[in-house]
Amino acid sequence: MIFKVFYQETTNEAPRREYTKTMYVEANAVSEVREYLSETTPYMIEHITEISGDFLEYEKENNPDFEVVKP
């Protein structure tokens, strides 16, 4: 499964929509994504959602920075 992760690069400020970034992680469950990110990144995770089907194809086609991270 592919998960889209919304995050902020800083953890010492209140989240601001303008600074929200995304990454894509391949994992079996949201808990696996959270565990991986807690061990490898200092980011503030805002939201994690599974993407598939048409939504996944849209992300691939319309996001030039689309890259899937595999823990």
Side-chain angles (χ1 to χ4, degrees), residues 1-6 23-30 33 47-56 59:
M1 292 184 274
I2 306 293
F3 293 90
K4 184 173 184 179
V5 179
F6 298 86
M23 74 169 61
Y24 304 90
V25 180
E26 184 175 333
N28 294 320
V30 172
V33 175
H47 183 69
I48 301 172
T49 187
E50 180 183 352
I51 60 173
S52 61
D54 290 340
F55 188 65
L56 178 58
E59 291 290 326

Side-chain angles (χ1 to χ4, degrees), residues 26-66:
E26 184 175 333
N28 294 320
V30 172
S31 58
E32 189 177 319
V33 175
R34 287 194 182 279
E35 182 179 334
Y36 166 71
L37 294 174
S38 71
E39 294 171 356
T40 59
T41 65
Y43 303 143
M44 178 189 308
I45 306 304
E46 291 181 25
H47 183 69
I48 301 172
T49 187
E50 180 183 352
I51 60 173
S52 61
D54 290 340
F55 188 65
L56 178 58
E57 291 307 314
Y58 176 84
E59 291 290 326
K60 287 179 182 178
E61 293 173 8
N62 295 298
N63 186 345
D65 299 326
F66 183 86

